[in-house]
């Protein structure tokens, strides 16, 4: 990989201020462009180094302090795209760090998975970055206008941009929206790698999707940071996401379902569950055809999932606190019971 300049990588005066204590110690800054099994590639502005790290949470997009070929520290992240860990443990997995734009990629073919779009948008909003929805494969013969209407209905306050990487349609409009550090998210087969190739000019491996179910094979196997065409910033292409669990995404869910929350404020009862209660403004909107019933069910599902994840995290923290207390008690007992303790 050729080196990326610090301007393209997103270095600014605020990062310089954050790095100042490390600079005083003789360390040099760099940005992680790829992570792979305890080693990573770090762009320093003049070269790309293969660096090692241990006992550090390092992710593609991080700014780090280098000492030789070792990462000494990770600068505090401005934003982070986080999902529930795929291993099932009660902690989050950072998919990309210091991101400015999260591009949620949805293919214009078959039946749109609106629930998945809402889930990805919740993660995007929670990250602190700006979401954009990219409708790909608009040359597939599907009803593009219908797809745009459906996506606009779930992507409240978010730009939805139709594109075709094959014909080039919509790519200029999309490129104008993608500045700074951009991350592409979506399942396999949605056209992320093809789109990334068009936006960066770097040919990425692309495999055909399966004809039986339309699902793609994993072409991107790790998160990698690449320069966007025109020098407007960098792009992180991610592997296809099979599972997208929420992790501490209460604010993100609220942003995605701002219409439900606004309607709920007019319910007769403050604790309305939007079921069969009298005076429910949400159910009235559903009955009037203003809000799809599917959207309320999706909202309930994501709220329950996020609450469950939060409860697991709280339980883990309580267990860690109890373990620490037990360790302190053992240390006290050992000190109190050691030979000669208390004798004059």
């Amino acid at each position: 990989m050729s080196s990326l300049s610090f301007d393209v990588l997103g270095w600014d005066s605020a990062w310089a201020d954050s790095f100042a204590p490390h600079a005083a110690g003789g360390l040099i800054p760099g940005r992680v462009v790829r992570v792979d099994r305890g080693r990573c590639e770090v762009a320093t502005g003049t070269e790309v180094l293969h660096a090692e790290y241990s006992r550090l949470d390092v992710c593609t997009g991080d700014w780090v302090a280098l000492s030789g070929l070792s990462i000494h520290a990770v600068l505090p992240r401005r934003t982070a795209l986080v999902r529930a860990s795929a291993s099932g443990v009660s902690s989050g997995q950072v998919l990309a760090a210091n991101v400015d734009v999260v591009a949620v990629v949805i293919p214009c073919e078959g039946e749109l998975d609106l629930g998945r779009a809402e889930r990805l948008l919740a993660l995007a909003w929670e990250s602190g970055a700006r979401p954009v929805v990219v409708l790909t494969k608009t040359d597939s013969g599907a009803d593009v206008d219908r797809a745009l209407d459906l996506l606009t209905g779930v992507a409240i306050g978010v730009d939805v941009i139709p594109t075709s990487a094959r014909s080039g349609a919509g790519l200029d409009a999309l490129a104008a929206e993608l500045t700074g550090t951009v991350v592409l998210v979506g399942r396999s087969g949605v056209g992320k790698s093809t789109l990334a190739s068009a936006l960066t000019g770097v040919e990425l491996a692309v495999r055909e999707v399966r004809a039986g179910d339309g699902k793609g094979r994993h072409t991107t196997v790790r998160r990698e940071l690449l320069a966007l065409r025109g020098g407007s910033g960098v792009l992180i292409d991610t592997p296809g996401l099979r599972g997208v669990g929420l992790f501490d995404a209460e604010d993100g869910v609220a942003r995605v379902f701002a219409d439900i929350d606004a309607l709920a404020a007019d319910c007769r009862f403050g604790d309305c569950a939007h079921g069969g209660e009298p005076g429910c403004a949400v159910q009235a909107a559903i009955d009037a055809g203003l809000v799809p019933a599917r959207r309320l069910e999706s909202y309930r599902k994501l709220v329950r999932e996020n609450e469950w994840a939060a409860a697991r995290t709280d339980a883990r923290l309580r267990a860690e606190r109890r373990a620490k207390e037990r360790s302190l008690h053992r240390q006290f007992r050992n000190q109190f019971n050691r030979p000669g303790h208390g004798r004059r």
Side-chain angles (χ1 to χ4, degrees):
M1 173 185 293
S2 59
S3 180
L4 301 172
S5 72
F6 265 25
D7 287 341
V8 171
L9 287 167
W11 184 261
D12 57 26
S13 59
W15 284 122
D17 290 343
S18 180
F19 188 78
H22 303 294
L27 304 182
I28 64 170
R31 193 167 193 193
V32 177
V33 298
R34 180 187 295 176
V35 178
D36 187 21
R37 299 177 183 178
R39 293 177 60 86
C40 60
E41 294 181 9
V42 182
T44 66
T46 57
E47 59 183 335
V48 176
L49 303 176
H50 293 268
E52 296 182 350
Y53 63 92
S54 61
R55 297 188 181 90
L56 290 173
D57 177 20
V58 176
C59 180
T60 303
D62 274 326
W63 284 98
V64 298
L66 285 166
S67 175
L69 295 179
S70 296
I71 293 178
H72 177 76
V74 178
L75 299 191
R77 292 163 178 157
R78 292 180 181 174
T79 63
L81 185 68
V82 184
R83 69 168 176 178
S85 175
S87 64
V89 299
S90 55
S91 59
Q93 177 191 11
V94 182
L95 299 176
N98 302 312
V99 172
D100 299 299
V101 180
V102 178
V104 176
V105 183
I106 305 293
C108 186
E109 56 183 4
E111 192 64 28
L112 293 182
D113 191 343
L114 298 178
R116 190 173 185 85
E118 289 162 340
R119 179 180 294 272
L120 289 172
L121 283 168
L123 263 66
W125 279 120
E126 190 66 36
S127 73
R130 176 172 61 89
V132 171
V133 174
V134 184
L135 182 65
T136 58
K137 304 185 180 184
T138 56
D139 56 354
S140 65
D143 189 337
V144 177
D145 289 337
R146 178 176 180 273
L148 287 172
D149 286 342
L150 290 172
L151 285 174
T152 301
V154 302
I156 298 174
V158 177
D159 290 329
V160 181
I161 303 174
T163 66
S164 168
R166 182 178 301 175
S167 69
L171 293 183
D172 288 342
L174 176 60
E177 292 291 326
L178 305 184
T179 58
T181 298
V182 179
V183 61
L184 301 180
V185 295
R187 65 170 174 80
S188 294
V190 300
K192 288 190 294 84
S193 294
T194 303
L195 186 63
S197 295
L199 293 170
T200 64
V202 177
E203 282 300 321
L204 302 175
V206 177
R207 299 180 186 174
E208 295 296 325
V209 299
R210 295 193 295 264
D213 56 12
K215 294 182 179 179
R217 302 173 183 175
H218 289 280
T219 53
T220 301
V221 296
R222 60 177 65 87
R223 291 173 287 278
E224 183 173 0
L225 189 148
L226 303 167
L228 289 166
R229 287 182 185 271
S232 60
V234 291
L235 178 141
I236 300 174
D237 186 20
T238 64
L241 301 177
R242 287 196 183 96
V244 190
L246 298 186
F247 178 79
D248 194 18
E250 181 179 356
D251 291 341
V253 172
R255 291 292 296 269
V256 174
F257 295 96
D259 54 339
I260 301 291
D261 282 347
L263 288 167
D266 293 329
C267 290
R268 180 182 302 177
F269 303 108
D271 59 349
C272 183
H274 317 311
E277 298 91 339
C280 175
V282 175
Q283 284 295 337
I286 291 174
D287 293 341
L290 301 176
V291 176
R294 179 213 65 79
R295 186 154 169 81
L296 176 59
E297 288 306 308
S298 180
Y299 171 69
R300 287 170 169 163
K301 179 179 180 179
L302 294 188
V303 167
R304 287 195 302 267
E305 180 180 325
N306 195 62
E307 289 175 345
W308 178 77
R312 291 183 68 208
T313 300
D314 290 343
R316 175 177 60 82
L317 293 175
R318 287 195 300 271
E320 290 175 353
R321 186 165 56 249
R322 287 195 298 268
K324 183 178 295 185
E325 290 172 351
R326 286 194 295 268
S327 176
L328 290 174
H329 289 160
R330 283 195 300 269
Q331 292 176 23
F332 176 78
R333 287 197 306 270
N334 291 339
Q335 182 179 6
F336 183 80
N337 293 328
R338 72 173 184 259
H341 179 82
R343 296 179 183 176
R344 300 288 181 181

